[in-house]
Amino acid sequence: MHDCLFVTKEKEELVNNKFKSGFVTLIGRPNVGKSTLMNQIIGQKIAITSSKPQTTRNRIQTVFTDERGQIVFLDTPGIHKAKNKLGEYMVNVAERTLKEVDVVLWLVEPTTFIGAGERHIAEQLKKVSTPVILAINKIDTVKKEELLAVIAAYSQIFEFSEIVPVSALKGENAEHLVETLFSYLQEGPQFYDEDTITDQPERQIVAELIREKALRLLSDEIPHGIAVSVESMKERKKGNIMDIDATIICERDSHKGIIIGKKGAMLKKIGSKARVEIESLLDIQVNLQLWVKVKKDWRDSDFLLKNYGYRDTDY
């Protein structure tokens, strides 16, 4: 019956060609590929990606627009058990978003083992009436017949509106996923201009790009103890160069030494890799100056969390 309705809905859409719009939140455990999927759908690097978990800290809003309509994606921090105030902030933002959107898109890995983390998410989803679409990611890593067992396992813990297997990395089935999302949205207004891909201030994206490079280049014990604050972004009068001053904040003096590196080599490496992507984002030559400061226990300070852009009242 559901399939029948879905087909009719799609045919009706084609005939009427009505503009649809709505908000979709993307949830999933840390490091499941949410940011990679966003970048694949939008076609431009917005959410930072890293092999380290809990890369996404703020609720990043990205916008997809075509002739069918507009989808505003909220890419939330992963839902997990909080260990400090930063963790609590991330979890609160993620869980509150579930009630505020038109569709919940839950991204999981292709395994039949459903751990406590996924079961926790399923329990949160049972509290809301929003349609939930399950996207099984990383299908390029398993045989297609194995997917049937994964679908069966997840179907037992929650009643999904749709289940769509995808590969965020390869882009496989990404367009089908977008079509499926549109089928659950109502006719509505265009919230943003066609060329808008994010509502984040440029300064915040620049800070996140710098943090991504630090995440990738530094040793495992440091990255979650860092934040990046962009102090200034000024375009020169001639308009061909953007001067950016940014500070990497860490929790320990020993970390500061590692981030700077021998004769400043690590900091220079982080800066040069970040500069390339910032230039691509801003479409202008960039002069990037990076500094390192120690702020002990900033992750447990409400004042410092707000100072570095993690404002709970924003959402």
Side-chain angles (χ1 to χ4, degrees), residues 287-300:
N287 171 37
L288 177 63
Q289 297 290 324
L290 283 181
W291 316 90
V292 184
K293 282 184 187 173
V294 178
K295 297 278 187 188
K296 288 173 181 159
D297 301 320
W298 69 265
R299 284 187 289 180
D300 271 318

Side-chain angles (χ1 to χ4, degrees), residues 85-275:
K85 283 190 177 176
L86 175 59
E88 286 170 20
Y89 165 84
M90 292 161 71
V91 170
N92 288 340
V93 169
E95 293 183 353
R96 190 159 64 245
T97 308
L98 301 178
K99 298 171 185 174
E100 299 172 353
V101 294
D102 301 295
V103 180
V104 173
L105 178 57
W106 182 11
L107 198 62
V108 299
E109 295 190 323
T111 172
T112 52
F113 172 75
I114 302 176
E118 280 79 13
R119 292 182 187 279
H120 172 71
I121 290 173
E123 290 309 307
Q124 298 304 313
L125 292 175
K126 285 173 185 173
K127 298 174 187 175
V128 299
S129 56
T130 316
V132 180
I133 294 169
L134 182 73
I136 301 169
N137 192 22
K138 305 182 184 178
I139 58 170
D140 51 304
T141 63
V142 295
K143 291 175 182 172
K144 289 192 176 175
E145 53 267 26
E146 292 174 43
L147 280 175
L148 295 172
V150 178
I151 291 167
Y154 271 94
S155 297
Q156 286 175 4
I157 67 160
F158 190 83
E159 197 173 322
F160 296 98
S161 299
E162 302 278 347
I163 297 178
V164 182
V166 296
S167 168
L169 193 63
K170 303 274 179 75
E172 190 178 344
N173 245 10
E175 172 52 30
H176 175 60
L177 180 60
V178 171
E179 278 178 23
T180 304
L181 291 171
F182 269 124
S183 75
Y184 283 87
L185 298 183
Q186 302 297 316
E187 186 184 347
Q190 186 169 313
F191 297 103
Y192 296 95
D193 294 337
E194 289 87 347
D195 58 353
T196 300
I197 49 171
T198 180
D199 74 339
Q200 283 193 99
E202 284 180 344
R203 189 175 286 213
Q204 189 176 334
I205 301 174
V206 166
E208 286 289 87
L209 286 173
I210 295 167
R211 196 167 69 88
E212 175 186 39
K213 298 312 164 195
L215 281 170
R216 290 196 172 171
L217 294 168
L218 294 169
S219 53
D220 289 342
E221 70 272 15
I222 297 174
H224 298 309
I226 67 168
V228 175
S229 173
V230 175
E231 315 299 338
S232 69
M233 281 178 67
K234 291 178 184 172
E235 194 172 334
R236 292 185 190 175
K237 285 181 181 177
K238 288 185 179 177
N240 58 346
I241 294 178
M242 176 81 75
D243 290 306
I244 300 174
D245 279 13
T247 304
I248 297 174
I249 295 100
C250 59
E251 291 179 313
R252 297 177 193 168
D253 291 314
S254 59
H255 288 176
K256 181 178 179 178
I258 295 167
I259 294 166
I260 293 170
K262 196 174 181 181
K263 294 182 179 176
M266 178 55 76
L267 191 61
K268 191 176 179 183
K269 200 172 181 181
I270 293 168
S272 67
K273 287 189 174 291
R275 183 179 52 77

